[in-house]
Structures are given as structure tokens and as C-alpha cells.
Amino acid sequence: MNKLVFVFVTAVALGGCSPSLPQCSSADPRAIASALYGREQFRAMLTNVAKSTVTGKMVAEKDPAGFEKRLSSAVEHALDRYGGQWDANLAQAYSDTLTKEELMSLCAAMNENDKASFGSFAERVGPDMKSKSAPLLQKAGVEVVKELFEGQPAK
């Protein structure tokens, strides 16, 4: 779980790890969260969680040819169920942590590809996002692994 928390905070702080920061259309927290591709970060975390579990490794060994397809399907089902909440949590974390002026500065940093400034804001937001979303990540991760093992989506 500690490894998962590290991955979680790092992903939020790096905003997707792209070579350049995404463009920010508005200092609104929802627009910032959308620009940061939070759902894609959630997808990557769920995929990494499933691949790192004993169950995930057993399924991969048992069905090497079909594992990636099964994993992708299980992650998509989890994203369908929880992706909206993940996005809302990310926007709320930015809203709860940063002032309007800081959100404007963050947006400017994104548009100027100022990774240092962006990183300082993201490091402040990361702990709030973690507290808001760690239970969601755990729940979705368990469902992904369960679907991998059972072959059927969670209900």
C-alpha cells in the first residue's frame, strides 16, 4: 500500500508525466483537473495495481495471451464506475487547497510549461487528493483484480 501511495502522489504531482504540461483553458478547478487527464492517471494506477498483485500475476501466467485484454476490460469497467468521482475529487482537491489567485498562477504555469511552479502547486494538492481518493483507488483496484480473477465485472 505504501508503494501505491507513492505512485498516487507522484502521478498527481507530475500531472501525467508528459514532456510538456497540458494547456489550461481556465483557472476553474474542473478545467484544470480535466486538462491534467486525471482519468488517464487513474487508469495507469489501476493497471499498475492489478499487475503488481499476486492474483494479477497468477492470471497473467495462466493466460498470457489474454491477460492484457482482460486487464484492459476490467480497468475500463472500473473507470466507467468510478472515473467521474475520481475527476470530481481531483477538481475538489485543487479547489480546497489553492486560492483563486493560486489557481490563476497554476493555470499560467501550465500554459508557460513552467514545471517548477506547477510542481510546487501539485505537491500541495497531492496530499488532499490522496486523502479524498485513496479509498476510491483501493475499492476500484480490488474490483479490477476480482474481475481479472473471476472473469466477470463487479456488480
Side-chain angles (χ1 to χ4, degrees), residues 72-86:
S72 178
S73 178
V75 169
E76 283 303 317
H77 292 143
L79 287 171
D80 289 345
R81 285 190 300 278
Y82 303 113
Q85 184 61 52
W86 184 270

Side-chain angles (χ1 to χ4, degrees), residues 41-125:
Q41 293 174 19
F42 191 32
R43 175 190 315 278
M45 285 184 244
L46 289 171
T47 299
N48 288 334
V49 166
K51 285 182 174 182
S52 70
T53 65
V54 172
T55 303
K57 291 174 185 174
M58 285 178 15
V59 172
E61 287 175 14
K62 185 176 178 182
D63 182 19
F67 176 74
E68 289 298 326
K69 183 177 179 182
R70 287 175 69 179
L71 176 59
S72 178
S73 178
V75 169
E76 283 303 317
H77 292 143
L79 287 171
D80 289 345
R81 285 190 300 278
Y82 303 113
Q85 184 61 52
W86 184 270
D87 292 340
N89 288 356
L90 184 57
Q92 193 62 51
Y94 275 96
S95 178
D96 290 349
T97 306
L98 303 178
T99 66
K100 286 187 178 196
E101 293 77 20
E102 288 172 322
L103 289 167
M104 290 172 38
S105 294
L106 171 66
C107 192
M110 291 170 67
N111 291 335
E112 295 164 7
N113 200 35
D114 181 351
K115 292 180 182 180
S117 294
F118 173 82
S120 67
F121 288 122
E123 284 178 11
R124 289 179 44 212
V125 172

